[in-house]
Amino acid sequence: MLRHMLALGLCAVAVPALAQPAPVPGPNRIFTGQDLFDLEVATDPQISPDGSIIAYVRRSNDIMSDRARATIWLIDVRSGVQSPLVTGPGSHMSPRWSADGKRLAYISSAEGNGVQLFVRWMDSGATARITNLPDTPGSIAWSPDGTRIAYILPVAGPGLQLGKPLAKPEGAQWAAPLEVIDKVTYRNDGGGYVKPGFDHIFVVSADGGAPRQLTFGDMHDAGPLAWTPDGKSILFSTVRGDDWERSFNSEVYALDIASGDIRPLTSRDGPDGAPIISPDGTKIAYLGFDDTRRSYENTELYVMNRDGSGARSLTASLDVSIDSAVWAADGKSLIVSYEYYGIVRVGRIPLDGKAIPMAQTLAPAQLDRPYAGGSFSIAKNGTMAYTGGSTLRPADIFVLPVGGASRRLTRLNEETLGAKTLGQVQEVRTKAPDGKEIQSWLVTPPGYKPGTRVPLILEIHGGPHTAYGPWFSTDNQLYAASGYAVLYVNPRGSTSYGEDFANLIDKNYPGPDYDDLIASVDKAIEMGVADPDNLFVTGGSGGGVLTTWIVGKTKRFKAAAAQKPVINWISEALTMDMTVFTSRYWFTKLPWEDPMGYWKRSPLSVVGNITTPTLVVVGAEDYRTPVSESEQLYAALQIRRVPTALVKVPGASHGGIAARPSQSAAKAGAILAWFDKYRTKPAQ
């Protein structure tokens, strides 16, 4: 008996020691790549004419298809209550109100037969598909009386035919026919090789029926479209003339709907577009600038008489670039969005040109990186709907009544991000060696304790004429969750700091922006955050250029990840999707006229100095900085025996390298794995 009891006692001791109960699963407080599937973002808020309802596009990620999906929701402004307008299969976007607010047009792939134009009758809830189009319509615009809708649609063409095809026997399996390319811009990033044809303006009854084509010819017409108040004309922009393919000199045109006559309203060397007509029909506002062949110009807001006379700039003295504009209901001023120190703001511009700031800031719809952006709309009573956000939340919908306080109407990510410990973001100002003030933001790892030094990733924006701002970024939060501080900088060349600041790199890129970036890194070290022995660098597009340039100039960084870089300006100029751009705006001569001028600014020229382990990342269908650019860098590093690897993102374009959630997470994960490989670990 005693022996039996001892055995039982041993068993009683042994069981809990060898088979402890599994811990109760708890929530993961750290932001991970899997969380990308749970994020949503609000964009394109369209407030009804009476200011009572906001229609907006809500983008979410479908984990089964690994793609972003757009749905349209309505918000009652008074109560803040949301309701779905169209959320079924397919993607649904571009909600636009009729002038009386009784109907809402939108485009959708709901019925599985391509993207079509739909109309919802708001009182009854009835919906009708009013088109049966072969391609996707764009720039939809209601006529003032609500009877018609204008839009732009690609019209297929035959293309150049060379030779006569052979007679093919019935049932024979022959190779595909030749592809004949004769266009200057023959492929577009995100769109692939251009199909023969041109974009033209159509109009269709708001009740459905056969559409009518209004413009013709071998050139592309562009939106946004604007009807005149009498419904007799449509304003648009286009590049016309014999040399239209090689020109960026668009003009504003007026199309007479009855006769089809087209009349130019602007004429100068510089792009003019986005026309909008005043409520009384007497004035037209539009955006543009004088093209001086510098790499950057502020986009100005102009106003002219309806016949095109009396054109003048309202913002020439403000040194800001105007992104969009709408007329105030009284026709005495315009409400505009513009970039200012890394953010997009909304302000009022009276016809005398004296700006009145409205002090509202807009948040971008992009998730992976913190680029400045955002959108808004204005009701007849002046109530504004807009996208707002922060460093810790993506864009939501806000409303600002006239004379009232701003209210947040959606909280799309509270359940997901409210349960996460995120990296905190602080603004940093740095003095460059020449005294220029440089703005940046520093993300610290979740739970960071001040005074602790951590590895630092310098993350560089593209463009280079763009700007980062204080916005949520999945890339930066993933880096921070892995224990890195992230420094993102707006060096000279960035927008939102005035025209002169942006043009400090005109015909000199990469160049002095290098000093701004290094000075900002030194500031993060001086602050006691960055570990000077654990520095890393990455960036995409223009940021990929500077990443490669940096590791060709200094050995301070432990590892680098050059994403979709330009390596050789000559090959980029001749293979990018806009082949007439680089040699016109980035250089003073053509590649074969000044090959050494291109070479001395090409990162390939400093590859011989690189010893930093460098990862190369590119979308497999990138036509802006083509795959061949990244492959040149990879090959050069392999030849020199510098540690490297090439990551290609299947099916991804330049602009869409982070479009699919799994690929966005995987790309960030690959960069982190590369950095972790060379990161000095603290002693245990």
Side-chain angles (χ1 to χ4, degrees):
M1 178 67 71
L2 181 59
R3 186 176 178 182
H4 181 61
M5 291 180 66
L6 288 172
L8 288 175
L10 289 171
C11 288
V13 173
V15 169
L18 298 176
Q20 291 282 353
V24 177
N28 184 352
R29 301 284 297 175
I30 300 299
F31 187 75
T32 71
Q34 193 71 30
D35 293 320
L36 270 63
F37 286 102
D38 296 326
L39 296 178
E40 296 188 318
V41 65
T43 186
D44 197 13
Q46 297 293 317
I47 194 165
S48 60
D50 65 1
S52 65
I53 301 173
I54 298 170
Y56 77 98
V57 176
R58 182 169 169 174
R59 287 212 319 258
S60 57
N61 292 319
D62 184 342
I63 196 169
M64 299 308 293
S65 66
D66 189 25
R67 292 187 183 277
R69 183 169 168 269
T71 57
I72 300 175
W73 290 69
L74 302 176
I75 308 174
D76 181 86
V77 171
R78 183 181 296 274
S79 67
V81 173
Q82 287 199 73
S83 59
L85 179 81
V86 51
T87 59
S91 261
H92 326 284
M93 62 203 78
S94 300
R96 296 294 182 267
W97 294 96
S98 61
D100 59 9
K102 294 182 178 180
R103 286 163 295 172
L104 188 73
Y106 60 92
I107 60 175
S108 170
S109 59
E111 297 185 359
N113 55 350
V115 179
Q116 303 295 335
L117 182 59
F118 290 75
V119 171
R120 169 72 63 95
W121 280 255
M122 301 305 294
D123 289 342
S124 67
T127 301
R129 175 170 62 84
I130 64 169
T131 60
N132 185 25
L133 304 175
D135 213 323
T136 301
S139 301
I140 61 176
W142 285 88
S143 65
D145 62 5
T147 62
R148 293 167 292 173
I149 300 174
Y151 57 89
I152 289 179
L153 186 75
V155 178
L160 177 64
Q161 302 293 320
L162 293 177
K164 191 173 182 179
L166 301 175
K168 178 180 175 182
E170 185 176 351
Q173 300 295 317
W174 283 19
L178 301 179
E179 294 182 26
V180 180
I181 296 171
D182 67 337
K183 300 302 181 188
V184 175
T185 299
Y186 60 91
R187 59 183 184 179
N188 291 318
D189 186 68
Y193 281 78
V194 175
K195 297 177 182 178
F198 299 93
D199 296 342
H200 288 304
I201 301 173
F202 289 74
V203 66
V204 66
S205 168
D207 297 328
R212 179 161 66 99
Q213 185 173 342
L214 299 180
T215 59
F216 303 85
D218 292 349
M219 71 284 294
H220 295 288
D221 300 318
L225 305 177
W227 292 76
T228 55
D230 58 15
K232 294 181 179 180
S233 299
I234 293 175
L235 307 178
F236 67 104
S237 63
T238 185
V239 180
R240 293 185 171 239
D242 294 339
D243 205 35
W244 68 270
E245 283 193 274
R246 293 172 174 81
S247 174
F248 297 102
N249 186 24
S250 60
E251 306 292 355
V252 174
Y253 287 81
L255 164 67
D256 184 275
I257 296 173
S259 67
D261 290 341
I262 295 175
R263 183 168 57 91
L265 299 179
T266 61
S267 60
R268 64 160 168 183
D269 188 4
D272 294 317
I276 47 173
I277 194 159
S278 61
D280 64 4
T282 63
K283 294 180 175 59
I284 297 170
Y286 61 98
L287 303 180
F289 57 82
D290 292 318
D291 190 347
T292 62
R293 302 304 188 267
R294 294 192 300 178
S295 63
Y296 178 79
E297 302 287 346
N298 279 339
T299 297
E300 297 179 25
L301 173 66
Y302 292 81
V303 67
M304 61 184 171
N305 297 322
R306 181 168 170 172
D307 63 1
S309 64
R312 59 192 175 93
S313 173
L314 300 183
T315 60
S317 64
L318 299 181
D319 199 18
V320 297
S321 190
I322 306 300
D323 293 329
S324 62
V326 296
W327 282 95
D330 62 6
K332 296 180 180 179
S333 62
L334 292 110
I335 313 301
V336 302
S337 62
Y338 60 96
E339 291 186 6
Y340 185 79
Y341 279 71
I343 61 175
V344 173
R345 291 184 172 180
V346 177
R348 184 185 298 273
I349 307 291
L351 294 182
D352 62 9
K354 296 178 181 178
I356 302 174
M358 296 173 67
Q360 291 304 310
T361 62
L362 308 183
Q366 185 165 343
L367 285 172
D368 62 320
R369 287 181 291 164
Y371 282 109
S375 54
F376 75 99
S377 63
I378 302 283
K380 290 180 180 178
N381 63 7
T383 300
M384 180 172 71
Y386 66 97
T387 55
S390 70
T391 58
L392 302 180
R393 296 292 185 272
D396 275 300
I397 300 298
F398 288 69
V399 66
L400 177 65
V402 175
S406 177
R407 286 190 294 131
R408 182 180 176 184
L409 298 180
T410 65
R411 297 179 182 274
L412 300 182
N413 295 285
E414 287 308 308
E415 292 299 321
T416 297
L417 296 179
K420 300 290 180 179
T421 303
L422 298 173
Q424 300 298 302
V425 184
Q426 61 180 302
E427 183 183 350
V428 178
R429 299 289 180 107
T430 306
K431 289 290 185 181
D434 65 355
K436 285 280 185 298
E437 184 177 74
I438 305 300
Q439 186 181 31
S440 62
W441 291 265
L442 182 63
V443 189
T444 48
Y448 173 77
K449 296 180 180 178
T452 305
R453 290 197 180 273
V454 294
L456 177 79
I457 297 174
L458 171 64
E459 208 283 332
I460 310 170
H461 71 62
H465 296 312
T466 55
Y468 276 158
W471 309 118
F472 180 81
S473 160
T474 56
D475 275 6
N476 290 348
Q477 289 296 337
L478 289 171
Y479 298 154
S482 292
Y484 293 84
V486 184
L487 180 68
Y488 60 98
V489 186
N490 282 342
R492 67 193 67 201
S494 301
T495 56
S496 77
Y497 303 92
E499 199 169 70
D500 289 344
F501 186 86
N503 276 310
L504 288 172
I505 62 168
D506 180 43
K507 311 301 185 296
N508 189 25
Y509 169 74
D513 37 2
Y514 167 88
D515 297 318
D516 301 341
L517 295 165
I518 297 301
S520 298
V521 170
D522 289 338
K523 179 71 172 182
I525 295 171
E526 178 189 320
M527 293 169 62
V529 176
D531 178 355
D533 297 321
N534 265 320
L535 302 178
F536 302 85
V537 59
T538 188
S541 192
V545 172
L546 283 164
T547 294
T548 313
W549 192 258
I550 283 171
V551 294
K553 295 287 186 178
T554 179
K555 304 185 188 307
R556 292 179 63 183
F557 294 85
K558 301 278 286 191
Q563 303 178 54
K564 49 188 180 182
V566 174
I567 296 302
N568 181 338
W569 283 113
I570 291 179
S571 57
E572 185 270 352
L574 300 176
T575 58
M576 74 175 302
D577 57 345
M578 300 184 297
T579 52
V580 296
F581 178 83
T582 297
S583 58
R584 182 177 299 180
Y585 294 99
W586 291 91
F587 295 87
T588 57
K589 296 182 180 180
L590 297 171
W592 47 90
E593 296 173 340
D594 183 25
M596 292 309 298
Y598 283 71
W599 175 253
K600 71 179 182 180
R601 287 167 50 195
S602 295
L604 190 58
S605 70
V606 297
V607 165
N609 302 328
I610 296 177
T611 59
T612 304
T614 301
L615 184 71
V616 187
V617 183
V618 67
E621 295 180 11
D622 189 328
Y623 295 137
R624 183 62 46 82
T625 57
V627 178
S628 56
E629 293 296 308
S630 291
E631 290 177 340
Q632 287 181 71
L633 175 58
Y634 173 71
L637 294 173
Q638 285 285 18
I639 290 169
R640 296 200 60 251
R641 300 179 185 273
V642 175
T644 186
L646 175 64
V647 173
K648 295 175 73 172
V649 183
S653 65
H654 186 84
I657 196 169
R660 304 190 72 169
S662 72
Q663 292 182 334
S664 181
K667 178 179 72 72
I671 292 170
L672 284 167
W674 185 258
F675 290 170
D676 285 345
K677 184 176 180 179
Y678 298 98
R679 171 178 170 178
T680 302
K681 305 298 192 296
Q684 298 297 324

